Amino acid sequence: MTFALAFALLAAQPVTAEPQHAAPQEDLSSVDWEKEFGVEKKVVDPVTGELPVDPYTQDPANAGATPFAGDGMAKAFGGQEGIRKIVGRLVDLSESDPRIAEIFKNQDLVRLRRTLFEQVCYILDAGCTYTGRDMKTAHKDLGTTRADLNALVENLQQAMREAKVPFAAQNRLLAKLAPMDKDVVER
Amino acid sequence: MPKLSFKLNILAGLGLSLLTAPAAYADPLLDGGKLVLTNGISSIEGASGGGLASWATIAGMETDRGVGVSAHVTGIELSDYGWQSHGISVGIKDRLELSYARQNFDTRKVGAALGLGEGYRFNQDIFAAKVRLMGDTVYGSPLLPQISVGVQHKRSLDAAIVKAVGAAASEGTDFTASATKLFLSKSVLVNATARLTNANQFGLLGFGGANQTDRTLQFEGSVAYMLTPRLVVGGEYRTRPSNLAIAREDDAHDLFVAWAVTRNATVTAAYADVGSVATFDGQRGGLVSLQFAF
Ligand code: HEM
């Protein structure tokens, strides 16, 4: 990273040298750099409060796991209300967990809370469908490691424990998530 | 023109920084990121695993980007004997485990009966290495366990005496192949290990004997149930060769409870039965082991 920064600084050097040239200067301060670089300005949707994402095909299979059958698991998690609380707690814990907080900065956590709720609710067969992206696409370029995943699992365990989900049921949900490790861990 | 060159320069810089890892900060050497208890406890031979069995686990709390260390001390009170062992291990990138353990076996009153003198101690050094070939105990397909192979080089420090009791050698090397998987849907961890060994009483009484000089294939099995993320109960079974002519050797088994008091300290208590040792039958009793891992 430090190397990359140094390279970036070196590469930018000629700019500081520009004033020595006699050529007329352009005032760079008035340039709309986002437009110059073709950066699309993301606008928060006034209804959902979410930022737009690149187009993708909606499919419950994007959740990355097949749902449980029957209502046993949904009940163990306190139904949709219980799941919403647990997912909310997981995001709160992770956002303030010094081990992984950095990864959640500048991300659309409104969308994350919704899609994560849908995913867990769908897998537990608690009456939802999953409308989010697949795990590989959703975690591209986040730079997550195995240690980050373990930290997230510990936060989920804490959230489920606080919600008094029986330990065996906690593990049954984790059993659905564990095979996704290759898709959510990037390095 | 200046705008364009500035833009190009920035793009070049960005390109370079994108080529390198997007890490916001460097990984610490001792990353300590492993899930609690997935490093196993320290077996009596120092390799990570259960108490009696060596597992496919890699010691230390590191993940695949760091280094971990652990240290342990174990005491066993048997009907007629006392056991004390201790050791250290290093885990590298959750891939390679290097360990050293020292075993001290106190013959107490039996020592006098065997003509060795009361309180005679058999001692042994064990240098071991284990490498994870594939799979993960927790993640990935539930059908693919974590698979490791290991080598344990054992050196009895009582060469003259182990040869006098009939051992063919005072040094030996065991080879192990282990598969370990936590079946999360059942909260059950299962381990199976195949061991090629000619050790008598783990090597404390030397290697090989009149009955059998060469290594034979032995089996170690463990089953554990997770009660909480930090509390596990289970049992183990380990078959052993009976190489010496003068004293029969039995299979060993145990029932254990392991508790991760903190992320870095695990206490294990067990009831262990190793059968007949040096003609004194029915050797069973309590095991306590303490492990610190980072
Ligand atoms: C098996 C484990 C995981 C599951 C089931 C999971 C699930 C999800 C879901 C459903 C989404 C939203 C998809 C969408 O927006 O369409 C998401 C996005 C995200 N996840 Fe995960 N995740 C896992 C592991 C992780 C880990 C280990 C981290 C980092 C510590 C992480 C950080 C994030 C972040 C920052 C986003 C937002 C990305 C964006 O908006 O571009 N996730 N995850």
Side-chain angles (χ1 to χ4, degrees):
Chain A
M1 189 63 202
T2 19
F3 273 120
L5 257 180
F7 275 123
L9 287 174
L10 280 176
Q13 275 300 314
V15 177
T16 46
E18 286 294 330
Q20 298 170 353
H21 293 245
Q25 281 293 309
E26 211 176 324
D27 181 7
L28 296 177
S29 67
S30 64
V31 178
D32 182 346
W33 288 110
E34 288 187 341
K35 192 163 156 243
E36 287 296 331
F37 284 98
V39 174
E40 221 180 293
K41 272 185 197 147
K42 292 195 171 176
V43 184
V44 172
D45 184 304
V47 180
T48 63
E50 293 177 16
L51 293 168
V53 298
D54 289 340
Y56 62 97
T57 320
Q58 278 191 14
D59 184 345
N62 287 348
T66 52
F68 286 98
D71 61 358
M73 287 298 286
K75 274 194 181 138
F77 278 73
Q80 293 197 5
E81 197 188 324
I83 295 167
R84 200 176 294 280
K85 257 199 187 143
I86 290 166
V87 167
R89 181 75 176 130
L90 165 63
V91 176
D92 290 346
L93 284 168
S94 299
E95 221 186 331
S96 58
D97 181 339
R99 295 174 295 179
I100 51 174
E102 204 65 35
I103 302 170
F104 291 87
K105 276 196 186 138
N106 302 318
Q107 300 291 348
D108 182 355
L109 298 185
V110 176
R111 179 185 167 88
L112 181 61
R113 278 170 206 270
R114 174 179 65 82
T115 48
L116 205 52
F117 162 77
E118 285 179 5
Q119 185 188 33
V120 175
C121 178
Y122 168 74
I123 293 174
L124 296 180
D125 196 23
C128 310
T129 187
Y130 177 67
T131 65
R133 293 168 287 180
D134 67 78
M135 292 302 101
K136 189 140 204 151
T137 310
H139 297 90
K140 199 173 170 295
D141 298 334
L142 288 180
T144 45
T145 64
R146 167 60 60 83
D148 298 332
L149 174 56
N150 287 346
L152 189 90
V153 167
E154 287 177 358
N155 293 341
L156 175 57
Q157 285 181 316
Q158 182 182 336
M160 293 189 292
R161 185 167 62 243
E162 287 173 2
K164 305 224 159 30
V165 177
F167 186 62
Q170 295 182 21
N171 281 344
R172 291 185 73 195
L173 172 61
L174 292 181
K176 292 281 190 187
L177 307 182
M180 301 175 191
D181 68 320
K182 291 269 174 333
D183 291 335
V184 299
V185 171
E186 204 170 37
R187 43 186 195 118
Chain B
M1 169 59 185
K3 192 164 83 180
L4 180 68
S5 69
F6 181 58
K7 215 163 121 178
L8 285 176
N9 282 324
I10 289 277
L11 282 175
L14 270 178
L16 275 171
S17 56
L18 285 176
L19 279 177
T20 61
Y25 32 79
D27 297 302
L29 185 62
L30 289 171
D31 70 335
K34 212 175 260 175
L35 286 170
V36 171
L37 289 177
T38 59
N39 55 328
I41 66 161
S42 303
S43 69
I44 53 171
E45 278 138 328
S48 70
L52 275 178
S54 174
W55 292 357
T57 47
I58 298 295
M61 294 304 286
E62 87 285 2
T63 64
D64 56 348
R65 304 172 63 78
V67 173
V69 292
S70 71
H72 80 280
V73 52
T74 299
I76 313 177
E77 277 293 314
L78 296 169
S79 315
D80 297 300
Y81 303 102
W83 169 298
Q84 191 277 337
S85 58
H86 53 267
I88 51 168
S89 314
V90 178
I92 299 162
K93 301 200 162 191
D94 198 24
R95 173 67 66 189
L96 178 67
E97 170 184 301
L98 300 172
S99 63
Y100 163 75
R102 173 67 176 272
Q103 299 175 338
N104 305 304
F105 186 73
D106 189 339
T107 58
R108 297 191 176 160
K109 288 212 171 64
V110 173
L114 296 175
L116 297 166
E118 182 168 336
Y120 182 83
R121 283 170 183 232
F122 287 91
N123 308 100
Q124 179 172 232
D125 284 324
I126 301 176
F127 303 89
K130 181 160 61 176
V131 60
R132 179 172 65 83
L133 297 181
M134 65 174 102
D136 187 275
T137 302
V138 180
Y139 296 109
S141 164
L143 299 176
L144 178 65
Q146 178 159 330
I147 295 173
S148 300
V149 290
V151 29
Q152 302 183 345
H153 181 63
K154 306 176 171 186
R155 295 174 175 221
S156 162
L157 303 179
D158 305 276
I161 290 174
V162 301
K163 287 200 173 133
V165 301
S170 64
E171 294 182 10
T173 305
D174 291 0
F175 298 95
T176 60
S178 312
T180 309
K181 192 73 189 180
L182 171 59
F183 297 98
L184 276 165
S185 61
K186 303 273 182 284
S187 304
V188 169
L189 180 141
V190 178
N191 175 77
T193 295
R195 180 188 296 264
L196 276 172
T197 181
N198 59 353
N200 310 323
Q201 297 293 354
F202 307 111
L204 284 161
L205 296 184
F207 301 82
N211 295 351
Q212 173 79 41
T213 315
D214 297 335
R215 295 184 189 92
T216 51
L217 183 62
Q218 305 295 329
F219 173 77
E220 286 155 35
S222 315
V223 176
Y225 184 76
M226 285 178 81
L227 292 168
T228 79
R230 295 193 165 191
L231 189 64
V232 176
V233 292
E236 300 186 284
Y237 195 90
R238 174 166 173 175
T239 68
R240 300 189 296 166
S242 190
N243 304 326
L244 291 176
I246 59 149
R248 182 187 89 241
E249 184 167 338
D250 297 325
D251 294 347
H253 51 97
D254 71 35
L255 293 172
F256 69 86
V257 47
W259 176 39
V261 187
T262 72
R263 275 190 71 77
N264 305 109
T266 302
V267 181
T268 305
Y271 168 81
D273 185 337
V274 294
S276 183
V277 179
T279 72
F280 282 69
D281 291 352
Q283 297 304 316
R284 53 185 77 98
L287 171 154
V288 174
S289 183
L290 180 61
Q291 176 188 265
F292 293 100
F294 296 90

